Amino acid sequence: MADYMILGLVKKRAELAGDIELTHARLRELVNQLEHIDGTLRIVAPDMELEAIRPKAFRPPDDWARRGQMSRLVLSILRTSKEPLTTREIAAQMLLERAMDAEDQRMLRIMTKRVGVALRDQRDKGRAASVPGPGQFQLWAIAR
């Protein structure tokens, strides 16, 4: 087999194993926080059944993106920018324009992923271009 294939698979496996470790660490942190909150609730409201509290699932707002809206907003932000931007900067700007909390790290992560997908799609269509930025970040601009 080709060495480059083996190296690629080894690299991908290491990346996935690292993601799993991070996910486990985050899960431990969340369980720890939940136990602290449960302990506090047992002190201040001993009669409350904690198991009766249903988990609240995250659901993006209905008006987040209609067909093509994400791409239009991303391209609009790039057009008005004087310099290339990172995906995270574009996502933060988008949250601000939508009057959403740009300080909410969870929301910013989700929006950053969605913006990244839109940017890659626009790069494939020749409308946006990426250049290496600081560290491992890419900077995005309108393709010229």
Side-chain angles (χ1 to χ4, degrees), residues 10 21 26 32 50-51 69-70 84 88 117 121 132:
V10 167
E21 284 184 22
R26 177 71 176 138
N32 191 22
L50 299 177
E51 292 77 26
Q69 184 179 17
M70 177 67 73
R88 189 175 181 95
V117 170
D121 183 48

Side-chain angles (χ1 to χ4, degrees), residues 30-111:
L30 291 172
V31 168
N32 191 22
Q33 290 176 5
L34 186 62
E35 288 174 354
H36 282 71
I37 291 172
D38 286 353
T40 304
L41 281 172
R42 284 188 192 101
I43 292 170
V44 297
D47 300 339
M48 181 179 281
E49 280 191 47
L50 299 177
E51 292 77 26
I53 302 171
R54 293 181 3 159
K56 182 179 178 183
F58 174 76
R59 289 183 186 87
D62 290 336
D63 65 345
W64 252 27
R66 302 203 188 333
R67 185 165 180 80
Q69 184 179 17
M70 177 67 73
S71 295
R72 283 191 296 275
L73 288 170
V74 166
L75 291 174
S76 173
I77 290 170
L78 288 176
R79 280 186 201 105
T80 58
S81 174
K82 294 179 181 2
E83 58 189 30
L85 300 171
T86 65
T87 307
R88 189 175 181 95
E89 291 169 338
I90 296 168
Q93 180 66 32
M94 189 172 291
L95 287 173
L96 287 173
E97 287 182 9
R98 290 181 171 200
M100 298 173 85
D101 184 12
E103 299 298 319
D104 181 1
Q105 293 302 310
R106 182 171 172 228
M107 185 74 71
L108 184 59
R109 255 192 324 275
I110 291 168
M111 190 60 81

Side-chain angles (χ1 to χ4, degrees), residues 3-21 120:
D3 289 339
Y4 67 88
M5 183 175 159
I6 293 170
L7 290 174
L9 289 170
V10 167
K11 181 180 175 184
K12 187 63 175 177
R13 187 192 186 289
E15 182 181 309
L16 290 173
D19 287 347
I20 289 170
E21 284 184 22
R120 285 188 294 279

